[in-house]
Amino acid sequence: REVSAGSSLFFAHVAVGCGYSTSFTLSNTGATLISGTLTLTDQNGDGLTVNSAGYGAASSFPVSILPGGTALLRFDALNPDDAIRSGWARVETTGGSTGASETLQLVSGGVLQMVTEVFRSELMESATIAVDDDASNRLPGSFTRI
């Protein structure tokens, strides 16, 4: 789903460190340039400083996407051995028509262990999310949709 000019998009979870990385794919299906900012915030409300190729260490990143274009922003821990740090993200844009998705992944020992999509949401103080964490009846390599 896309959001028109002057939009704010919120993503409830971002994680980096200990093999976790977070990526955002932003697209512009509108007829005008999108410009704006993607901001990462930690659980205390402060900027979540991460490393991003092309931008270096920061918690806020400029967004500029031509009509019909797509931008991929990948965020990693400042140092590969850093502990897991988490928070949330906000994408503020003007112009164009913004499409956005977020992907979290975990790599351990050079092997991809997990990939999941984080859907954008309305701004809220709290939410309850059901999770099936009983792996006793699963075969290796299988997954359960919730």
Side-chain angles (χ1 to χ4, degrees):
R1 195 174 116 204
E2 297 164 0
V3 179
S4 298
S7 65
S8 296
L9 307 173
F10 299 93
F11 293 86
H13 191 68
V14 171
V16 295
C18 285
Y20 284 93
S21 64
T22 299
S23 300
F24 287 88
T25 303
L26 307 174
S27 60
N28 181 0
T29 59
T32 61
L33 176 76
I34 285 178
S35 60
T37 306
L38 188 153
T39 303
L40 305 177
T41 304
D42 69 16
Q43 294 179 353
N44 296 318
D46 299 319
L48 176 62
T49 302
V50 297
N51 191 37
S52 179
Y55 294 103
S59 61
S60 185
F61 304 87
V63 173
S64 181
I65 308 169
L66 293 169
T70 299
L72 176 64
L73 291 93
R74 178 187 161 117
F75 304 117
D76 295 295
L78 296 176
N79 298 303
D81 297 328
D82 282 352
I84 297 172
R85 298 181 61 220
S86 63
W88 59 279
R90 179 180 73 241
V91 179
E92 299 272 343
T93 61
T94 58
S97 185
T98 307
S101 64
E102 176 192 357
T103 305
L104 285 174
Q105 75 174 32
L106 171 62
V107 175
S108 179
V111 177
L112 180 64
Q113 301 292 321
M114 183 266 319
V115 174
T116 189
E117 187 77 14
V118 176
F119 298 104
R120 70 174 187 252
S121 69
E122 300 299 319
L123 189 59
M124 60 184 75
E125 287 188 32
S126 64
T128 301
I129 300 171
V131 175
D132 175 6
D133 65 353
D134 178 13
S136 64
N137 62 351
R138 291 191 206 134
L139 298 173
S142 69
F143 66 94
T144 301
R145 284 190 182 176
I146 304 174

